[in-house]
Amino acid sequence: MALAPLDEAITLDQLSSDPYPIYRRLRAESPVLRVASTGRTLLTKAALTKAVKDNPELFSSDDPKTPMKPAFRAHTLMRKDGKEHFVERKAISKALTPKRIKADWGPLYAQLSEEYIARLPRGETVDLFTDLCGPLAARILAHILGIPEASDEQMMRWSQLLIDGAGNFGWKPEPFAASDAANDEMDALFAELEPIRRAEPDGSAYALMLTAEDPIPMSQIHANIKIAIGGGINEPRDALATILYGLLTNPDQLAEVRAQDAWDKAFEEGIRWVAPIQASSRLVTEDTELGGFEIPKGDTVMTIQASANRDEELYEDGESFFVFRDKNPHQAFGNGPHHCAGAHVARRTVGKIILPMLFDRFPDMTLPNPDEVVWKGFGFRGPINLPVVLN
């Protein structure tokens, strides 16, 4: 059995600027492809990405070649398997259960959403990415994690620097220097807040981890919070911006979503169409086979859930945004043991609270120039601007 073909033409810049035409071609021609610029074997079909995520024994999250470890200055739960992963995930997931989110955090989410949406000026052109999507996601997450003392600006900056470091597949020194500085700032704040959260536990993730009967080590508590900062802002931020773009460029669908109160469907379609977390790496622990090619032990495969979510075998016209699909078995939140712990938070905040509230306040909101919206990102993707007129 032969190794997968090697591509030396696809660049990281191409994957960051406009990956979807590349993925469409790879699904048809080379769904298992070694891409030299990434140092990984890319998997672009849904069946392949799901099979890898569902088999952590053969495809380990503990990838030594990932830039995530230097970016977070820690061996995080995202790169652990089995019991070690379960223990650390359980420690933080107690703050993220659907029951706790609905009962304990739901009123706060609504209050914060009302405050941030009320700040937006009616009748003006506003960049919702910078003025709403990012700051509101940051504020909600700061409360969930137990670090509301951090400003929106700090949360967003830390998140972006961690993301830039974790996605630094070219191993350039500058992103790691920036993430080092962010780690220093976060560690200082966590240390300052530790005695406060121990003395007055507030149900936040930090307080629950600090006061657990059998707490995980402090270094891993810090790592858990950082992982949540890294993914917990960009995912709801980019999901909200993507869904807004999809609805505002398809006014007929927006009208039907409002008529049916189908905001949950709009949420699921948005994260299928442009997955906020586009790709994930896995280390191959034994010689195996994928798609008819030999995958040797020690290789690193990359599941491209962004491509899987548009797979022609699952979706009719998967390249288009269409809220009312009969079926939407997307992999935007992953699957298997590493299914996104913040999925319930994103679904509730974006799908059930922010979207209907925003369109209730600005029912005639428009996106005058969709071509002005810039999309960016290989590992993490979404619009980086969203200039709308609020009416």
Side-chain angles (χ1 to χ4, degrees), residues 230-241:
I233 292 178
N234 77 291
E235 193 166 51
R237 177 199 69 192
D238 294 351
L240 177 56

Side-chain angles (χ1 to χ4, degrees), residues 2-8 29-36 40-41 293:
L3 294 174
L6 175 65
D7 179 279
E8 297 182 300
E29 300 175 1
S30 300
V32 181
L33 183 69
R34 291 181 293 150
V35 177
R40 286 154 169 74
T41 299
F293 294 103

Side-chain angles (χ1 to χ4, degrees), residues 125-126 245 248-249 365-375 385-389:
T125 298
V126 173
Y245 179 95
L248 292 173
T249 54
M365 177 178 14
T366 59
L367 178 64
N369 298 299
D371 290 343
E372 291 184 358
V373 176
V374 178
W375 299 77
N385 66 321
L386 194 68
V388 304
V389 177

